[in-house]
């Protein structure tokens, strides 16, 4: 059933037929193709091209095919090349020669563009739901382990202590941006190309706006050439998905490190771990590692589609077929990665005592001590130098900043050359004040700004995140 066979006198080479067919991939568009066909049939009826009886017969046949497709009862014939011709051939079996009128005023060019937009719109909605479930898993963990203290790092070196909940909420922020990007892309997905024909527009008085409304689109494309060749919406969706995978990969990297016994911050549940075929002692966070690896795969798919598009003239080119598989795969990978990471977080065990112990290493409260000096009138650069001296002395003596003796405090303040620091050294309570600032709890409490790690701020952020998630239900 070659719809274009009249122009040709010979058979297609088998190698070409195998090379060009896409049914193995685009069969996933069956429900969308049938939905688009039903809307098109109704449009042909409104335009007076089909009678009311013909519209009814074709619609009934297509609805029956939709049921068969949903139940997995449609047989896909590779010889028919793609989902569009398979559906049309199946409709012929349902209603007879009348099925030949289905394609009036329509090209496979605007048909595939419509199908792909319908699929992408639904996929974005599904990804949004998966992102919300992932966020709930993060917030649940943050609420459950809200008082745990994590050694915050920069340059992978000890920096400042932060609440574990604060660290986790950073990933909620990333996920919210992922949702925003997908929602933004969805707005540009949500226009109908149907009625654009092959490139110049349909040759019949079709009401494209009404057909778009039948399919739930917000509007119609404004230019037929652009409509059939535009895959910006594929790129935008891939870009949002690729960045979402990067965010998941960053979390996966941290979980992988944290679960190493040298850190011992968390323990991944057996259900989300695997062992070694050789080493009986091994417990590997393989799902997290695969998320990390598959992020690279999705980035490659985005790059591949961009590279394919860059050299295409208007209008439709067969190269565009190569945008479908990367989109399908990237969406499937992101969805599965979100779900497995949510499950991993839901079952994660946290060793708060080990985490807190690590947070005391590396003099992570030094900045809080410097801030305490600034609050007593010492210029920050001078305070920075004084505390640096205190860290060096404490390191040499093998004590923490929260255990520094008064003599060390007085020496560091007096040696700074700053008159205000010298005066401060004479105050008997300054040692206690700085030791309090150097405690983990003191350092955490000092970061009391919107977005900071102070317990009250984190509690408010958690409450806001929970309210946002509840509102999304």
């Amino acid at each position: 059933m070659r719809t274009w066979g009249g122009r040709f006198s010979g058979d297609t080479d088998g190698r070409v037929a195998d090379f060009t067919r896409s049914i193995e991939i685009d069969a996933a568009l069956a429900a969308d193709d049938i939905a688009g066909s039903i809307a098109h049939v109704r449009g042909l009826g409104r335009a007076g091209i089909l009678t009311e009886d013909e519209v009814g017969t074709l619609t009934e046949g297509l609805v029956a095919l939709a049921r068969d497709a949903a139940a997995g009862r449609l047989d896909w014939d590779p010889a028919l090349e793609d989902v569009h011709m398979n559906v049309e051939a199946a409709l012929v079996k349902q209603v007879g020669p009348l099925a030949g009128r289905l394609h009036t005023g329509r090209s496979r060019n605007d048909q595939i563009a419509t199908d792909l937009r319908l699929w992408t719109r639904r996929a974005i909605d599904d990804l949004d739901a998966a992102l919300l479930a992932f966020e709930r898993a993060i917030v649940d963990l943050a609420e459950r382990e809200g008082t745990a203290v994590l050694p915050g790092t920069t340059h992978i070196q000890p920096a400042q202590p932060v609440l574990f909940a604060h660290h986790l909420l950073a990933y909620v922020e990333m996920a919210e941006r992922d949702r925003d990007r997908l929602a933004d892309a969805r707005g540009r997905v949500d226009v109908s190309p149907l009625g654009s024909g092959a490139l110049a527009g349909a040759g019949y008085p079709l009401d494209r706006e009404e057909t778009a409304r039948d399919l739930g689109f917000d509007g119609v494309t404004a230019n037929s050439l652009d409509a059939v060749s535009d895959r910006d919406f594929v790129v935008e969706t891939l870009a949002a998905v690729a960045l979402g995978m990067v965010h998941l990969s960053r979390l996966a990297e941290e979980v992988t490190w944290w679960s190493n016994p040298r850190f011992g911050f968390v323990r991944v549940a057996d259900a989300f771990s695997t062992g070694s075929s050789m080493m009986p002692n091994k417990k590997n966070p393989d799902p997290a590692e695969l998320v990390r690896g598959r992020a690279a795969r999705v980035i490659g798919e985005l790059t591949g589609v961009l590279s394919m598009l860059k050299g295409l003239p208007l209008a439709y080119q067969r190269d565009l077929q190569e945008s479908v598989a990367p989109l399908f795969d990237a969406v499937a990978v992101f969805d599965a990665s979100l779900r497995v990471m949510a499950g991993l977080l839901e079952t994660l065990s946290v060793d708060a005592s080990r985490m807190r112990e690590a947070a005391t290493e590396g003099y992570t409260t030094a900045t809080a001590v410097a801030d305490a000096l600034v609050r007593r009138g010492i210029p920050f650069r001078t305070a920075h130098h004084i505390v640096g001296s205190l860290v060096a002395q404490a390191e040499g003596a093998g004590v923490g900043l929260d255990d520094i003796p008064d003599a060390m405090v007085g020496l560091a303040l007096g040696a700074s050359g700053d008159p205000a620091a010298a005066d401060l050294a004479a105050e008997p309570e300054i040692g206690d004040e700085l030791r309090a600032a150097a405690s983990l709890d003191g350092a955490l409490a000092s970061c009391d700004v919107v977005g900071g790690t102070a317990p009250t701020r984190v509690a408010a952020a958690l409450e806001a995140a929970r309210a946002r998630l509840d509102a999304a239900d």
Side-chain angles (χ1 to χ4, degrees):
M1 187 179 171
R2 289 193 312 185
T3 58
W4 41 267
R7 166 67 174 79
F8 295 80
S9 58
D11 293 333
T12 302
D13 188 292
R15 291 166 293 186
V16 172
D18 290 342
F19 191 67
T20 58
R21 75 169 183 254
S22 59
I23 185 59
E24 295 87 351
I25 296 167
D26 60 27
L29 294 170
D32 305 293
D33 192 75
I34 294 168
S37 292
I38 291 171
H40 183 62
V41 164
R42 290 171 178 162
L44 292 174
R46 284 191 295 270
I49 297 163
L50 294 177
T51 66
E52 186 176 337
D53 286 345
E54 289 172 330
V55 169
T57 300
L58 287 170
T59 300
E60 288 175 12
L62 288 165
V63 168
L65 290 183
R67 287 195 296 267
D68 289 343
R73 291 193 298 264
L74 281 184
D75 294 323
W76 304 112
D77 183 355
L80 294 178
E81 190 175 339
D82 60 26
V83 66
H84 318 299
M85 299 317 304
N86 269 270
V87 168
E88 191 168 332
L91 187 63
V92 169
K93 293 178 183 178
Q94 285 274 354
V95 304
L98 178 62
R101 304 199 66 184
L102 171 64
H103 210 56
T104 306
R106 186 174 69 170
S107 164
R108 280 191 294 180
N109 297 357
D110 62 345
Q111 191 175 358
I112 181 58
T114 302
D115 293 358
L116 201 53
R117 284 177 181 273
L118 288 169
W119 185 93
T120 303
R121 186 177 66 183
R122 189 172 65 254
I124 287 174
D125 292 342
D126 290 342
L127 288 177
D128 187 69
L131 276 162
L132 284 169
F134 171 66
E135 287 187 50
R136 289 187 190 97
I138 298 174
V139 171
D140 287 346
L141 178 59
E143 290 175 340
R144 191 166 69 244
E145 302 293 343
T147 59
V149 182
L150 184 75
T153 64
T154 63
H155 308 279
I156 319 182
Q157 301 300 315
Q160 290 179 266
V162 296
L163 286 179
F164 184 47
H166 186 60
H167 191 96
L168 291 172
L169 284 173
Y171 286 100
V172 171
E173 294 300 312
M174 295 181 207
E176 279 295 296
R177 292 195 296 272
D178 293 331
R179 292 185 64 214
D180 287 346
R181 271 183 286 270
L182 284 167
D184 186 60
R186 192 188 191 283
R188 281 179 289 281
V189 169
D190 207 17
V191 289
S192 173
L194 200 55
S196 298
L199 76 162
Y204 304 89
L206 301 176
D207 186 340
R208 294 187 61 213
E209 287 84 359
E210 187 63 26
T211 300
R213 282 189 286 273
D214 279 353
L215 290 169
F217 283 116
D218 276 351
V220 299
T221 53
N223 182 285
S224 58
L225 284 164
D226 179 58
V228 299
S229 60
D230 168 35
R231 293 299 182 271
D232 288 4
F233 68 95
V234 173
V235 171
E236 287 189 75
T237 304
L238 278 172
V241 166
L243 189 48
M245 283 300 298
V246 167
H247 294 154
L248 289 183
S249 182
R250 295 180 74 177
L251 177 59
E253 172 79 357
E254 294 195 311
V255 168
T256 302
W257 280 108
W258 292 342
S259 64
N260 184 303
R262 296 291 289 180
F263 286 79
F265 297 166
V266 302
R267 185 175 180 84
V268 178
D270 288 356
F272 287 86
S273 305
T274 64
S276 165
S277 61
M278 177 180 177
M279 297 168 283
N281 61 303
K282 291 301 294 296
K283 182 178 179 182
N284 304 322
D286 277 12
E289 295 172 46
L290 284 171
V291 166
R292 220 170 38 190
R294 289 177 188 175
R297 178 165 126 197
V298 172
I299 292 167
E301 287 166 334
L302 168 62
T303 304
V305 172
L306 281 169
S307 300
M308 177 269 292
L309 288 172
K310 72 164 184 66
L312 296 187
L314 292 176
Y316 182 84
Q317 315 294 330
R318 192 63 177 267
D319 314 49
L320 294 174
Q321 179 175 304
E322 296 304 300
S323 68
V324 179
L327 176 64
F328 286 0
D329 183 68
V331 166
V333 165
F334 190 33
D335 183 76
S337 298
L338 284 165
R339 295 179 191 283
V340 78
M341 288 301 290
L344 187 152
L345 294 175
E346 288 163 357
T347 56
L348 195 69
S349 299
V350 174
D351 189 336
S353 61
R354 175 67 193 105
M355 200 180 280
R356 188 179 184 91
E357 179 187 354
T360 66
E361 299 168 357
Y363 300 93
T364 59
T365 61
T367 302
V369 177
D371 289 341
L373 288 173
V374 170
R375 286 191 288 270
R376 293 298 300 270
I378 307 298
F380 178 76
R381 285 301 169 201
T382 302
H384 188 288
H385 183 81
I386 291 169
V387 177
S389 172
L390 278 174
V391 168
Q393 291 182 67
E395 194 170 37
V399 298
L401 284 178
D402 55 347
D403 286 324
I404 48 173
D406 288 343
M408 278 187 189
V409 173
L411 181 62
L413 290 170
S416 69
D418 184 272
D423 291 342
L424 199 57
E427 296 187 16
E429 73 278 6
I430 189 61
D432 289 339
E433 189 175 325
L434 295 187
R435 283 188 289 271
S439 69
L440 285 181
D441 292 338
L444 290 167
S446 69
C447 296
D448 189 12
V449 295
V450 173
T453 194
T456 54
R457 298 293 186 171
V458 175
L462 262 176
E463 185 179 346
R466 175 63 69 189
R468 186 170 62 239
L469 292 172
D470 289 346
D473 288 336

